[in-house]
């Protein structure tokens, strides 16, 4: 298998971290330099016409795109350790937590970075700085909600580590790098403590 990925990008990192948590071996990483436009070259567009990473090329030549779909496939390919839920009820609550942090934490940070960071101008034309700044505010609202959630429970979806923790961690690391967002510096002590615990996991170095 081959994983088409981009260094420091949050969605490819989510998949790399998922693979590391599963202990899956034999997945070849293939770097796609999006700043150089490699995601829009014909050879990559043949694999993903929407020009997005990550993309997982299976051994039979089929290409699976979209982060959540890739993780679902990997969960079936390597069922243990379970990261997406045992039974319909746990799966539903884990997916709810994962979608919340994806849509409101990760996407908020990504929208600020794409629209308000000058370094991303080559990828986002036109940039709408006012929109980006509003997204940063919404991302912080979600971070405060997550901080309070983590005051009551150990992990994002409840009592154990799941895919929702991977998504939230990659979102925070993306915001940490380009937004200089530090939860502890903004009064979110529970979120900061959780971030430090997840950063200590070996899988946090993946991607």
């Amino acid at each position: 298998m081959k994983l088409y990925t981009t260094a420091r990008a949050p969605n490819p990192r989510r998949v790399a971290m998922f693979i590391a948590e599963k202990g899956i071996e034999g997945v070849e990483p293939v770097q796609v330099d999006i700043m150089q436009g490699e995601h829009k070259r014909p050879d990559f567009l043949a694999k993903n016409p929407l020009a997005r990473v990550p993309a997982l090329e299976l051994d039979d030549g089929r290409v699976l795109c979209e982060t959540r779909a890739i993780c679902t496939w990997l969960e079936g390919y390597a069922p243990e350790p379970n990261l997406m839920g045992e039974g319909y009820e746990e799966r539903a609550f884990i997916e709810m937590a994962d979608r919340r942090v994806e849509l409101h934490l990760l996407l908020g940070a990504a929208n600020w970075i794409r629209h308000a960071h000058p370094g991303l101008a080559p990828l986002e034309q036109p940039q709408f700085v006012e929109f980006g700044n509003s997204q940063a505010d919404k991302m912080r609202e979600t971070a405060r909600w997550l901080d309070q959630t983590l005051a009551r429970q150990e992990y994002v979806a409840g009592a154990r580590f799941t895919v929702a923790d991977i998504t939230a961690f990659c979102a925070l690391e993306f915001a940490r790098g380009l937004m200089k967002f530090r939860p502890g510096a903004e009064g979110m002590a529970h979120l900061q403590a959780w971030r430090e615990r997840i950063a200590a996991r070996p899988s946090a170095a993946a991607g």
Side-chain angles (χ1 to χ4, degrees):
M1 289 185 286
K2 294 181 180 179
L3 178 65
Y4 292 87
T5 184
T6 297
R8 297 182 297 279
N11 283 323
R13 187 176 186 181
R14 289 166 65 191
V15 173
M17 195 169 173
F18 196 92
I19 289 171
E21 286 285 341
K22 289 283 188 182
I24 300 171
E25 298 181 351
V27 180
E28 177 189 351
V30 180
Q31 289 293 323
V32 179
D33 190 339
I34 62 176
M35 297 305 292
Q36 296 298 319
E38 291 181 359
H39 59 307
K40 294 184 177 180
R41 293 179 182 174
D43 57 340
F44 185 75
L45 290 174
K47 300 181 186 300
N48 185 359
L50 297 183
R52 299 286 189 271
V53 286
L56 181 68
E57 185 171 359
L58 306 179
D59 290 336
D60 63 8
R62 290 179 298 163
V63 179
L64 187 60
C65 303
E66 306 303 333
T67 299
R68 178 80 189 195
I70 293 171
C71 289
T72 297
W73 189 91
L74 292 168
E75 179 88 336
Y77 176 79
E80 298 299 332
N82 177 279
L83 296 175
M84 300 181 82
E86 296 278 7
Y88 75 94
E89 191 167 278
E90 189 187 28
R91 284 198 302 271
F93 278 94
I94 290 172
E95 182 172 353
M96 176 180 71
D98 189 42
R99 292 291 284 168
R100 281 175 167 174
V101 292
E102 179 182 42
L103 294 176
H104 306 298
L105 191 71
L106 176 55
L107 189 59
N111 280 334
W112 181 89
I113 289 163
R114 293 184 74 94
H115 285 281
H117 195 292
L120 273 289
L123 294 179
E124 196 69 47
Q125 285 297 325
Q127 283 186 312
F128 296 98
V129 176
E130 186 174 345
F131 168 73
N133 289 335
S134 73
Q135 291 295 292
D137 292 339
K138 292 180 183 301
M139 184 277 292
R140 282 179 165 85
E141 288 178 11
T142 303
R144 285 189 287 271
W145 159 77
L146 186 55
D147 177 68
Q148 292 306 304
T149 297
L150 290 166
R152 303 188 301 271
Q153 60 195 45
E154 191 172 0
Y155 294 102
V156 172
R160 69 181 184 93
F161 181 90
T162 68
V163 65
D165 295 282
I166 292 175
T167 301
F169 178 75
C170 292
L172 284 186
E173 293 303 279
F174 195 42
R176 176 184 176 87
L178 292 174
M179 293 179 69
K180 309 304 179 187
F181 175 64
R182 305 289 190 276
E186 300 190 23
M188 304 175 212
H190 305 293
L191 183 56
Q192 185 68 48
W194 168 89
R195 184 264 165 198
E196 302 305 327
R197 285 193 291 111
I198 304 303
R201 299 176 75 93
S203 66

